[in-house]
Amino acid sequence: MQAQPHVVIVGGGFAGLWATRGLARAPVRITLVDRRNHHLFQPLLYQVATAGMSAPDIAAPLRHILRRQANVEVRLGEVTGIDTDARRVRLADGVALDYDILLLASGATHSYFGHDDWAADAPGLKTLEDALAIRRRVLLAFERAEAAATPAERAAWLEFAVVGGGPTGVELAGTLAEIARHTLRREFRRIDPAQARVRLVEAGPRVLASFPDSLSAKAAAQLQRLGVDVVTGKAVAGIDPHGYTLDAGDGRTERVQARTVLWAAGVAASPLGALLGVERDRAGRVPVADDLSLPGRPEVFVAGDLASVRQPDGRPVPGVAPAAKQMGRHVAAAIRARLAGRTAPAFRYRDFGNLATIGRMAAVVDLRGLKLSGLLAWWFWLVAHVFFLIGFRNRLAVLTNWAWAYWTYQRHARVIFGGSDAQKETARFPGPPP
Amino acid sequence: MQAQPHVVIVGGGFAGLWATRGLARAPVRITLVDRRNHHLFQPLLYQVATAGMSAPDIAAPLRHILRRQANVEVRLGEVTGIDTDARRVRLADGVALDYDILLLASGATHSYFGHDDWAADAPGLKTLEDALAIRRRVLLAFERAEAAATPAERAAWLEFAVVGGGPTGVELAGTLAEIARHTLRREFRRIDPAQARVRLVEAGPRVLASFPDSLSAKAAAQLQRLGVDVVTGKAVAGIDPHGYTLDAGDGRTERVQARTVLWAAGVAASPLGALLGVERDRAGRVPVADDLSLPGRPEVFVAGDLASVRQPDGRPVPGVAPAAKQMGRHVAAAIRARLAGRTAPAFRYRDFGNLATIGRMAAVVDLRGLKLSGLLAWWFWLVAHVFFLIGFRNRLAVLTNWAWAYWTYQRHARVIFGGSDAQKETARFPGPPP
């Protein structure tokens, strides 16, 4: 048994988990390392951030998912070093894992394009902690507005901005508008939450740039109908605790007093890529050979958001969940082929289409030519996401929650905790601008 | 409208919320102040701690609960001062609320009997944050055991202790045993979670001391059947990161290496009671007149766990949810009576019985003479708790979760977050004993 090759897989996201499953019947022993105990269904993370779902609705323990796969050992741990010559991965608790084959699939994080000082005032959305921090901030903003001493202060607490018009930014902005206009109705006595302004700021010329022009336009129209102010062609030039500055590129800047700014603009590959000691691209991704292995290091694979892969037509494979799953499955197939003495095949991305949700009954879908928007697209998106959620219980819970939320406009997870103590929060929020 | 008396209610627990609702049609305006945005169904908090439920399953925003009661304003805020002469409550954010009538119902917290240094090593269970901290600790203990380098270290991570044999301690110990024996089955490769030892330590002669002797004995037997070691007649003399010391009172002490100790032993009234400037009892509770007002201050009421109230036979009214609700309702009735020019009636506690759950199909119920235990008691407990949960959605979700958990032994909220980063957690846990 010990003579079986040892496969170490770093990261229990879509790429790592699908690779692990793809090796269920392979003659290997696997160690899956993640610094979280759970697989996270990231496409629905914005629902946790906007209080529509609980954290456990979209996360399942890796051990539980893999309990019946006897050749896997799940290890909670943080990778701090990779020695590709010695074929060894080092963990923060001092343990070293010797591998015969390594898959690095540690994903991506958000990037502030060199403005890391914006992180405190414009939280991004990648982990459950991020989602709960955003939830807390959004819910507290309405509380602060209700308790505000001056109209200016009140207005600043009712001013929301989402930076970045990609899928995450669009989802967040659309849902924030729904919360303000519908969910909180009748709950406040001094403010009207529907007066809140939700702005979606995109530096490029249109939202959802990865979609065809016509769907971008439809998405913008749907956002506006939900109550979102869509601002395109303006870059954010500064963010501070009291607001942000927009730069139209023509020398004019606009200052907006806003207490809540969310960041959905930039993605950077996981810093673990740097441990491989190879050249990376501008976003920190690791260029790989066509079988997803590291050039010159056939025993090291990179997959998911950390891998830089081009399609035959030269376009990059997008950083979406289906691509990560396909890469994970491909790595498993490549390992199985090699162990059987065959050559690993080349990875080929199968693009089944592109979908983005916007809010209540609003979405856009681009299925290789077939374009949908509005209610039909929303149903398509809903069914696809529930279908792909891991674990039966979660699917059921998610459907129940959604059905309930749909009929009542309510969001069951509107609970502030983790630093929710009013005094602590007061301390975290600065006073009025000087 | 402004001429209506202003009732300030501090605390949105059972007493405060039921008082608020009892004043729905009274000619008053109400400000309900809480430092949390939610009402918490504390009887099920242990389910969040043991990963059976999500935080939002047992918490609902106070604003949402009260959105249709037009005479209430909900205020997120922390009370820092009470001036009973000026009839003014001061909040941490600098705002002062002038009241005509005050209800202080800020509840209780846990107490370490003067050993506050034990708090870091033996967390208690009163808030959602407490529950999530306990959940994290318990789940991480099994992870640490799996990764342990030595048998001694492994054994210490698989040794759990719950201090205090009251209802909370019994629930926690019973559920921990279920997790170890059933929930985690087959998920680990180096440890057998069923080998974990769960000890329930009670200094007094029996568990569930508020129940008749016969039910205490039945509860102990049910605990043992679930896999809990019940230790009575021994007090905890010391707790540190590596374990605890038991003192049998005869000069002999026993040292146990245990990485996870939970505290369910002591309750102390909320520190806000001290702001009233009156004599309090040993547990920090405020003695009140028979209408629950402060002697000499008829416009100030105290209710719930913060109030020290005696029944006609001299026994204290217990610190349980039904008593808090009854007190809240009584204060509302007393206020209505006074406003109508009548004398406020005396509070009379109606004891409908006492129930405690132990674990899967195990509970004890004492209905004024009718004693149940085992499966029947468990069903009784289940129905009562689901019935009393606030909010239809929550009841449905709770029932669904329970039905699912019952059939599968699974606990859907087994997700570690909030300081779940492996490296951070490693830093929080000390190394092996010297």
Side-chain angles (χ1 to χ4, degrees):
Chain A
M1 286 295 278
Q2 286 302 95
Q4 286 191 335
H6 184 208
V7 180
V8 171
I9 297 178
V10 177
F14 287 112
L17 185 54
W18 261 253
T20 304
R21 287 171 153 185
L23 293 169
R25 274 183 281 271
V28 295
R29 58 189 185 94
I30 305 167
T31 303
L32 174 60
V33 181
D34 200 302
R35 55 180 181 161
R36 314 275 167 175
N37 81 326
H38 53 270
H39 172 75
L40 182 65
F41 193 77
Q42 280 197 339
L44 291 177
L45 195 54
Y46 82 97
Q47 284 281 355
V48 175
T50 55
M53 291 183 167
S54 311
D57 287 343
I58 62 158
L62 286 164
R63 290 190 183 290
H64 183 66
I65 298 172
L66 295 165
R67 68 195 180 283
R68 292 203 180 85
Q69 188 173 332
N71 67 350
V72 184
E73 190 175 313
V74 175
R75 181 65 154 76
L76 184 72
E78 173 138 26
V79 171
T80 53
I82 299 174
D83 183 338
T84 48
D85 288 328
R87 300 189 180 178
R88 181 170 294 161
V89 169
R90 235 175 289 277
L91 303 185
D93 58 9
V95 170
L97 300 170
D98 291 320
Y99 64 81
D100 299 299
I101 300 171
L102 173 68
L103 166 58
L104 195 58
S106 46
T109 179
H110 38 262
S111 158
Y112 291 90
F113 305 130
H115 291 284
D116 286 351
D117 52 312
W118 295 353
D121 301 315
L125 182 63
K126 268 289 170 189
T127 65
L128 280 179
E129 284 83 358
D130 292 340
L132 295 172
I134 287 178
R135 184 199 287 178
R136 198 158 56 227
R137 226 174 246 237
V138 167
L139 296 177
L140 277 172
F142 289 100
E143 298 290 339
R144 303 288 171 223
E146 175 86 346
T150 67
E153 215 184 300
R154 178 166 302 160
W157 282 116
L158 288 176
E159 179 84 35
F160 296 83
V162 178
V163 183
T168 301
V170 165
E171 285 162 353
L172 281 175
T175 315
L176 281 185
E178 183 184 326
I179 289 174
R181 292 206 168 182
H182 296 286
T183 308
L184 299 179
R185 189 152 50 179
R186 272 200 285 270
E187 296 196 8
F188 291 82
R189 303 290 181 252
R190 293 164 188 265
I191 60 165
D192 175 5
Q195 298 302 314
R197 182 157 75 151
V198 179
R199 265 191 166 191
L200 178 63
V201 179
E202 166 58 45
R206 59 192 177 99
V207 299
L208 296 180
S210 65
F211 284 78
D213 274 337
S214 63
L215 286 180
S216 285
K218 287 212 163 115
Q222 290 180 78
L223 280 166
Q224 247 127 14
R225 206 160 52 237
L226 289 168
V228 175
D229 277 8
V230 179
V231 177
T232 53
K234 291 187 183 173
V236 169
I239 304 177
D240 60 62
H242 300 293
Y244 60 95
T245 308
L246 286 181
D247 182 349
D250 53 3
R252 284 177 306 166
T253 61
E254 182 193 346
R255 167 75 187 173
V256 182
Q257 301 294 109
R259 291 298 199 126
T260 313
V261 180
L262 307 181
W263 186 258
V267 171
S270 148
L272 292 193
L275 300 178
L276 292 175
V278 298
E279 198 81 25
R280 291 172 298 147
D281 74 6
R282 220 167 44 95
R285 285 174 307 186
V286 179
V288 289
D290 67 1
D291 65 348
L292 303 182
S293 68
L294 212 55
R297 289 273 181 205
E299 78 281 8
V300 177
F301 292 90
V302 181
D305 285 355
L306 181 58
S308 170
V309 188
R310 301 221 159 251
Q311 303 181 55
D313 62 4
R315 287 185 306 141
V317 173
V320 296
K325 287 184 197 174
Q326 290 178 32
M327 288 191 223
R329 266 194 228 108
H330 177 87
V331 170
I335 293 172
R336 291 196 313 263
R338 294 238 202 106
L339 293 176
R342 288 180 277 116
T343 310
F347 174 69
R348 188 66 65 82
Y349 173 55
R350 294 184 65 190
D351 184 357
F352 294 105
N354 205 355
L355 32 170
T357 186
I358 296 165
R360 191 176 172 79
M361 295 189 287
V364 290
V365 171
D366 174 27
L367 298 175
R368 314 178 72 184
L370 173 64
K371 298 185 185 69
L372 306 175
S373 67
L375 183 59
L376 191 62
W378 186 76
W379 275 108
F380 188 92
W381 175 90
L382 185 72
V383 170
H385 278 74
V386 171
F387 181 77
F388 284 117
L389 250 194
I390 282 198
F392 173 73
R393 186 260 162 209
N394 282 343
R395 284 182 210 174
L396 197 75
V398 168
L399 263 187
T400 312
N401 284 348
W402 269 341
W404 182 252
Y406 184 84
W407 288 112
T408 62
Y409 280 100
Q410 284 313 323
R411 307 185 73 74
H412 84 279
R414 280 171 43 212
V415 175
I416 303 175
F417 57 81
S420 72
D421 184 286
Q423 199 168 24
K424 270 190 262 161
E425 286 298 331
T426 307
R428 275 187 47 208
F429 286 95
Chain B
M1 285 294 279
Q2 285 302 93
Q4 286 190 335
H6 184 207
V7 180
V8 171
I9 297 178
V10 177
F14 287 112
L17 185 54
W18 261 253
T20 304
R21 287 171 152 185
L23 292 170
R25 274 183 281 273
V28 295
R29 60 191 182 92
I30 305 167
T31 303
L32 175 60
V33 181
D34 200 300
R35 53 180 181 161
R36 313 275 168 178
N37 81 326
H38 52 270
H39 172 77
L40 182 65
F41 193 78
Q42 280 198 338
L44 290 176
L45 194 54
Y46 82 98
Q47 284 282 354
V48 175
T50 55
M53 290 184 168
S54 312
D57 286 344
I58 61 159
L62 285 165
R63 289 191 185 290
H64 183 66
I65 298 172
L66 295 166
R67 68 195 179 283
R68 294 206 178 84
Q69 188 174 332
N71 67 350
V72 184
E73 190 174 316
V74 175
R75 180 66 153 77
L76 184 72
E78 175 138 25
V79 171
T80 53
I82 298 173
D83 183 339
T84 48
D85 288 328
R87 299 186 181 181
R88 181 169 295 162
V89 170
R90 235 175 289 278
L91 304 184
D93 59 9
V95 170
L97 300 170
D98 291 320
Y99 64 79
D100 297 300
I101 300 171
L102 173 68
L103 166 58
L104 194 59
S106 47
T109 180
H110 38 262
S111 157
Y112 290 89
F113 305 131
H115 291 283
D116 286 349
D117 52 313
W118 294 353
D121 301 315
L125 183 62
K126 268 289 171 191
T127 65
L128 280 179
E129 285 83 358
D130 293 341
L132 295 172
I134 288 178
R135 183 199 289 179
R136 199 158 54 228
R137 226 172 245 238
V138 167
L139 295 177
L140 277 172
F142 289 99
E143 298 290 338
R144 303 289 171 224
E146 176 85 347
T150 66
E153 216 184 301
R154 177 165 303 160
W157 282 118
L158 288 176
E159 179 84 35
F160 297 83
V162 178
V163 183
T168 302
V170 165
E171 286 162 354
L172 281 174
T175 316
L176 282 184
E178 182 185 327
I179 290 175
R181 293 207 168 183
H182 296 286
T183 308
L184 299 179
R185 188 152 51 178
R186 273 200 286 270
E187 296 196 10
F188 291 83
R189 302 292 181 251
R190 293 162 188 265
I191 61 166
D192 175 6
Q195 299 302 314
R197 182 158 75 153
V198 179
R199 264 192 165 190
L200 178 65
V201 179
E202 165 59 44
R206 59 190 177 102
V207 299
L208 296 181
S210 65
F211 284 77
D213 274 336
S214 63
L215 286 180
S216 285
K218 288 214 163 114
Q222 290 180 80
L223 281 166
Q224 247 127 13
R225 205 159 54 236
L226 288 168
V228 176
D229 276 9
V230 179
V231 177
T232 53
K234 290 187 183 172
V236 169
I239 304 177
D240 59 64
H242 299 292
Y244 59 96
T245 307
L246 286 181
D247 182 349
D250 54 3
R252 285 176 308 164
T253 61
E254 182 193 347
R255 166 76 187 173
V256 183
Q257 301 294 110
R259 291 297 200 125
T260 312
V261 179
L262 307 181
W263 186 259
V267 171
S270 149
L272 292 193
L275 300 179
L276 291 175
V278 298
E279 198 82 24
R280 289 172 300 146
D281 73 7
R282 218 167 45 96
R285 286 174 306 186
V286 178
V288 289
D290 66 1
D291 64 350
L292 303 183
S293 67
L294 211 56
R297 290 272 182 205
E299 78 281 8
V300 177
F301 292 89
V302 181
D305 285 356
L306 182 58
S308 171
V309 188
R310 300 220 159 252
Q311 302 181 57
D313 62 5
R315 287 185 306 141
V317 173
V320 295
K325 287 184 196 174
Q326 290 179 32
M327 286 191 224
R329 264 193 230 109
H330 177 86
V331 169
I335 292 173
R336 291 196 313 265
R338 291 238 203 106
L339 293 175
R342 288 179 280 116
T343 309
F347 173 71
R348 187 66 65 85
Y349 172 56
R350 293 185 65 191
D351 184 357
F352 292 106
N354 205 355
L355 33 168
T357 185
I358 297 166
R360 191 177 172 78
M361 296 190 286
V364 290
V365 171
D366 174 27
L367 297 175
R368 315 179 71 184
L370 173 64
K371 296 185 186 67
L372 306 175
S373 66
L375 182 60
L376 190 63
W378 185 75
W379 274 109
F380 188 91
W381 175 88
L382 185 73
V383 170
H385 278 73
V386 171
F387 181 77
F388 284 117
L389 249 194
I390 281 197
F392 174 73
R393 186 265 162 205
N394 282 345
R395 283 180 212 176
L396 197 75
V398 168
L399 263 187
T400 312
N401 285 348
W402 269 341
W404 182 252
Y406 185 83
W407 289 112
T408 61
Y409 280 102
Q410 284 314 321
R411 307 185 73 77
H412 85 279
R414 279 171 45 213
V415 175
I416 304 175
F417 57 80
S420 73
D421 184 287
Q423 197 169 25
K424 269 191 264 161
E425 286 298 331
T426 308
R428 277 188 44 207
F429 287 94

